[in-house]
Amino acid sequence: MRREQEFLDLLHGRLAELRSGAETAVREALPSAGNNAQARLERDVLVSEQAGLLAAFDAGENGLCFGRLVFRDGRDHHIGRLGIRRDDADRTPLVIDWRAEVARPFYLATGHTPMGLRRRRHLTTEGRRVTALHDEILDLADAVRTGHEGADADAVLLASLDAARTGRMHDIVQTIQAEQDRIIRAPHDGVLVVEGGPGTGKTVVALHRAAYLLYAHRAQLARRAVLIVGPNPAFLRYIEEVLPALGETGVLLATPGELFPGVTPTGTDTAEAAAVKGGAAMADALARFVRDRQILPDPETVIDHEDGELRLDAETVYEARRRARETGLPHNLARPYFAFRVIDALTAQLAGRIGADPYGGPNLLGPDDIAQLGKTIAASPEVHDAIAELWPALTPQQLVADFLADPVHLPDADADAIRRTGGGWTPADVPLLDEAAELLGEDDSAARAAAEAERQERIAYAQGVLDLSYGSRTQEFEDRDEEDSEVLAAHDLIDAERLADRQEEADHRSAAERAAADRTWAFGHIIVDEAQELSAMAWRLLMRRCPTRSMTLVGDPAQTSEPGGCGAWETILAPYVGDRRHHVRLGVNYRTPTEIMEIAAAVPRSADPSFAPPRSIRSTGTRPWALRTDEVAGAVAGAVARETREAGRLAVIAPRARHAALSAALPAASAGASPDLTSPVVLIDPRQAKGLEFDSVIVVEPGEFGTSDLYVALTRATQRLGVIHTGELPAGLAALAPADAAAPGR
């Protein structure tokens, strides 16, 4: 213990040196960038790198070192969150990053396959203090004993699992299991599907995989960023501290409803509407709706012009539309081709009228005359109005709003389900907006023209500055010697264009920040949690964000509950990668005790006798209980009062329709769309409970849940589970013990 404490003191001292060096580098770099673009770029790169190091140093402060490997050949390595070298001159590692290949025996070695180890040590620390050691002997010929050997190889894991929840997911870097390690370090190319039931650690494995990929492929992924998609904002807050604790901050966390920049969903859909909007048929319906906006005149469009009326008949417009569609460009990008054809047709019409030879000869107008006529037509507001009516420029928001107001190209029942005029955007609208953006394209010619005009203004201003500077200094140099005239020549090398470019500020945002603001960003890797819940339209959005199909998909089809959720992996992936995917299944339940899992598994098994839940590795000896009552709110309040005598966090999981009454009975509980999960008591529904875990859970009115939602609700507890109900219990829950026999304290 003393030697490990001395080592930990040394390690924290070295970390303090590294932190101080990074802080000094940032402090000295900021005011010393120089006056040229190269110097500023070098400064920005240095500051960004050092700021990233500081974030990693701060994150690694807690649990800096958690393991030690002693090899048969004499090698001896400490394992930790960060790789730290002894000093700048001596490159010998003090502690090895857990993601390094040499650290793998810490997670994979067994007595049967020791991977060259004599012993493996787990260090438990609190802050900067070593509090416990646990040694595993892997070489039976090793006779040395430290007094910290343990017969139970899983003691550290079980201690972690039994610890009280904090309302935030914690990392498992110290207790990664072999099956988890293989998933974490799997190649990042292609689609990896990680399936597992409740409590198997799917989410935390996926987060550690993100940290590993950023370590192993830093240059590529730091530039393109990693996107982690979660089911709801509460879940993202629950997991948000895991990657920073592992030293990684360059990751974008988002829900599917947050993946269209500039749109924040505030509305809600009925289950039927969400299912319709999420269906694959919506893509075709929107595409046909866009083509509907490319209309033909009936029978013709008449345009007022100073040289007489101009007429666009259906045949002329049809030909212009056909040629524009043949470009294969999105609607807004094809629009200029349509406009050019229309303007050419109107120019020919006007030229034929004005330049006609009364004696039947060739047109009297020359090429220059016709070109001038074309310019006047192209500048005509009336012509622009006609083109806008026949082929309007559209925004995604405008298109989707118009479609929802009149949902054509859908069956009547589906159209009625989603028809809406006004109101805020809903999460199910976001994939529709993204689809619309793809169909429309963005005509940025006006923006580019404005940017170039602004740049020319800066150049003109810079030239004026240089002219003033040159004029005021010319006389100064006239009477000086030849050496001074060379200084003036050097001054002339700074032209107005380069001076103007210096005025532009570089984009200092991280890759994740830039990706969040750019709908067309292509991520280096995407991790999707609760992947079975995403609709077909949401998958179209995500696949556009990752053209390389480098993805990790995490979920459990048995827990599918969202309207429109794809559920089956084949349904999700076949349209994009066929069967070119790697599938792994986690089969060990680390969260849910055996007593709770036996009850929970009976729910899906009542509908599917072949259902096989993950195997729980722990038992608490506490049986789940049930209480039938006529007054739900009071019974829940009493149960919460009893449960909160125990340490940890408690969740009341109830149907959304019962939340108002329960909130009144539980004034201290955090509730609503985004409850504070660090609160001792939270009130949520099963959809909000996805991916979360609590020490105690009280499920209210299970008969009002669907099978998947009830299975989710019953598997959130790590210690204690109670059920409060008024009617008969659903199939599978009959084995619950009465409250008077199993309730806390009895």
Side-chain angles (χ1 to χ4, degrees):
M1 289 284 284
R2 178 177 55 81
R3 285 194 296 270
E4 293 294 2
Q5 183 63 60
E6 289 173 352
F7 175 79
L8 191 63
D9 293 341
L10 171 67
L11 193 57
H12 277 281
R14 176 60 179 149
L15 183 67
E17 293 175 3
L18 292 171
R19 181 185 288 110
S20 177
E23 290 171 345
T24 300
V26 171
R27 190 164 51 249
E28 293 178 350
L30 289 175
S32 60
N35 293 321
N36 61 69
Q38 180 64 28
R40 293 202 312 278
L41 176 61
E42 291 174 356
R43 176 203 63 188
D44 294 343
V45 170
L46 185 148
V47 170
S48 177
E49 289 177 347
Q50 297 301 315
L53 284 175
L54 283 171
F57 294 155
D58 291 340
E61 175 77 22
N62 186 30
L64 184 58
C65 177
F66 54 79
R68 185 173 183 175
L69 300 177
V70 181
F71 289 84
R72 292 174 182 170
D73 61 9
R75 288 178 296 149
D76 189 337
H77 298 306
H78 281 86
I79 309 298
R81 296 175 180 277
L82 304 173
I84 298 178
R85 300 187 183 278
R86 191 168 297 276
D87 57 48
D88 294 336
D90 183 354
R91 308 293 286 172
T92 304
L94 272 174
V95 64
I96 291 174
D97 193 301
W98 66 275
R99 296 167 287 189
E101 187 65 24
V102 72
R104 291 205 76 180
F106 187 77
Y107 302 111
L108 298 183
T110 65
H112 185 265
T113 309
M115 301 179 71
L117 288 182
R118 281 200 305 117
R119 67 176 54 227
R120 170 172 49 205
R121 169 170 289 174
H122 292 265
L123 286 81
T124 302
T125 60
E126 292 182 6
R128 300 188 178 192
R129 186 170 62 91
V130 178
T131 58
L133 304 179
H134 183 273
D135 285 349
E136 297 176 62
I137 304 299
L138 298 174
D139 180 2
L140 298 181
D142 183 4
V144 176
R145 293 294 181 268
T146 65
H148 295 283
E149 290 79 13
D152 186 357
D154 292 326
V156 176
L157 171 63
L158 293 174
S160 172
L161 298 177
D162 286 334
R165 306 299 100 178
T166 64
R168 292 285 185 266
M169 178 177 282
H170 58 81
D171 65 77
I172 59 167
V173 64
Q174 187 174 354
T175 58
I176 293 171
Q177 302 301 292
E179 67 169 355
Q180 298 171 332
D181 182 80
R182 285 187 283 271
I183 295 170
I184 289 168
R185 298 174 191 263
H188 83 290
D189 294 328
V191 176
L192 173 65
V193 175
V194 183
E195 182 178 335
T200 53
K202 304 181 297 296
T203 299
V204 73
V205 166
L207 295 174
H208 285 67
R209 175 164 169 75
Y212 171 76
L213 293 176
L214 284 164
Y215 171 85
H217 307 280
R218 177 77 60 190
Q220 176 185 352
L221 295 184
R223 184 176 67 253
R224 299 308 310 162
V226 172
L227 170 65
I228 296 179
V229 180
N232 54 61
F235 173 83
L236 295 182
R237 285 197 301 277
Y238 178 64
I239 69 171
E240 66 184 357
E241 295 178 1
V242 174
L243 283 167
L246 298 173
E248 299 296 345
T249 57
V251 175
L252 176 62
L253 276 65
T255 66
E258 296 171 328
L259 291 177
F260 193 86
V263 169
T264 301
T266 58
T268 57
D269 280 308
T270 64
E272 185 181 5
V276 172
K277 290 180 180 180
M282 289 296 298
D284 180 64
L286 284 172
R288 294 170 67 185
F289 191 68
V290 170
R291 292 173 72 86
D292 290 347
R293 306 302 293 270
Q294 302 162 4
I295 64 176
L296 300 177
D298 182 20
E300 66 179 7
T301 294
V302 178
I303 304 171
D304 291 332
H305 191 267
E306 60 186 13
D307 292 312
E309 290 181 342
L310 299 173
R311 297 178 180 274
L312 278 174
D313 58 43
E315 182 178 354
T316 299
V317 175
Y318 175 84
E319 182 62 19
R321 186 178 72 174
R322 182 184 68 82
R323 299 296 293 271
R325 287 177 173 177
E326 284 179 349
T327 65
L329 294 171
H331 174 89
N332 287 336
L333 300 185
R335 185 174 184 269
Y337 294 88
F338 174 80
F340 293 152
R341 294 281 177 184
V342 169
I343 290 170
D344 286 348
L346 293 175
T347 300
Q349 184 182 134
L350 185 58
R353 180 193 306 162
I354 295 176
D357 185 345
Y359 300 105
N363 195 291
L364 300 177
L365 299 179
D368 291 343
D369 299 322
I370 294 175
Q372 186 59 42
L373 283 179
K375 290 180 180 179
T376 63
I377 289 176
S380 167
E382 291 78 14
V383 171
H384 280 275
D385 290 344
I387 292 173
E389 181 180 350
L390 298 169
W391 193 301
L394 299 169
T395 66
Q397 290 89 334
Q398 178 185 355
L399 183 78
V400 174
D402 290 348
F403 177 80
L404 293 177
D406 183 19
V408 294
H409 309 304
L410 289 175
D412 290 344
D414 290 349
D416 291 341
I418 68 171
R419 184 173 283 107
R420 183 185 80 210
T421 302
W425 298 113
T426 72
D429 291 335
V430 168
L432 306 188
L433 291 167
D434 196 74
E435 189 75 23
E438 286 293 305
L439 292 169
L440 296 177
E442 182 180 359
D443 184 1
D444 62 352
S445 56
R448 284 188 282 109
E452 180 59 25
E454 183 180 348
R455 184 170 182 270
Q456 292 302 324
E457 289 180 7
R458 287 198 305 270
I459 291 174
Y461 176 80
Q463 186 63 58
V465 171
L466 289 176
D467 289 345
L468 288 173
S469 175
Y470 182 86
S472 65
R473 297 179 65 185
T474 299
Q475 185 62 43
E476 178 184 344
F477 281 99
E478 282 181 350
D479 299 327
R480 296 190 179 185
D481 57 22
E482 184 176 347
E483 180 179 354
D484 284 336
S485 67
E486 292 176 359
V487 175
L488 181 61
H491 168 76
D492 290 341
L493 292 177
I494 303 176
D495 61 25
E497 186 169 352
R498 278 183 287 177
L499 182 60
D501 289 341
R502 285 182 182 178
Q503 299 171 13
E504 294 186 77
E505 289 295 326
D507 190 345
H508 298 292
R509 296 174 299 170
S510 68
E513 290 169 330
R514 285 182 281 124
D518 185 352
R519 192 196 68 82
T520 63
W521 189 274
F523 289 92
H525 192 81
I526 292 180
I527 292 174
V528 185
D529 202 295
E530 302 292 351
Q532 77 281 351
E533 302 289 5
L534 268 62
S535 69
M537 292 300 293
W539 280 112
R540 289 176 65 87
L541 179 157
L542 283 180
M543 291 298 176
R544 283 192 282 267
R545 300 295 196 275
C546 192
T548 62
R549 304 294 190 261
S550 178
M551 309 177 86
T552 302
L553 310 184
V554 179
D556 178 15
Q559 297 183 64
T560 305
S561 58
E562 286 295 327
C566 288
W569 302 118
E570 178 68 21
T571 304
I572 293 170
L573 295 173
Y576 306 102
V577 298
D579 59 357
R580 300 185 305 278
R581 63 182 186 272
H582 184 55
H583 184 281
V584 295
R585 182 171 179 84
L586 294 168
V588 177
N589 187 334
Y590 299 97
R591 175 206 302 145
T592 318
T594 302
E595 295 85 353
I596 295 177
M597 200 62 208
E598 288 176 352
I599 295 295
V603 172
R605 193 178 288 127
S606 65
D608 178 9
S610 66
F611 175 77
R615 176 179 58 85
S616 295
I617 65 168
R618 45 192 288 274
S619 174
T620 62
T622 302
R623 296 173 60 196
W625 54 268
L627 173 64
R628 188 167 185 172
T629 180
D630 294 328
E631 207 285 296
V632 171
V636 171
V640 167
R642 292 192 301 270
E643 285 287 348
T644 50
R645 296 170 190 162
E646 305 287 340
R649 299 303 192 273
L650 181 148
V652 176
I653 304 179
R656 176 60 57 178
R658 299 211 174 241
H659 279 210
L662 291 173
S663 291
L666 302 171
S670 179
S674 299
D676 178 6
L677 298 178
T678 64
S679 173
V681 180
V682 297
L683 172 61
I684 54 178
D685 63 34
R687 307 289 171 86
Q688 292 174 300
K690 289 273 187 178
L692 308 183
E693 60 182 36
F694 305 88
D695 297 280
S696 300
V697 168
I698 296 173
V699 176
V700 180
E701 295 291 18
E704 297 180 15
F705 296 150
T707 299
S708 294
D709 281 347
L710 180 54
Y711 184 50
V712 169
L714 294 170
T715 54
R716 299 305 98 191
T718 66
Q719 301 292 337
R720 299 172 298 279
L721 171 68
V723 173
I724 295 178
H725 61 108
T726 55
E728 294 296 325
L729 287 171
L733 296 188
L736 280 169
D740 58 357
R746 301 189 182 185

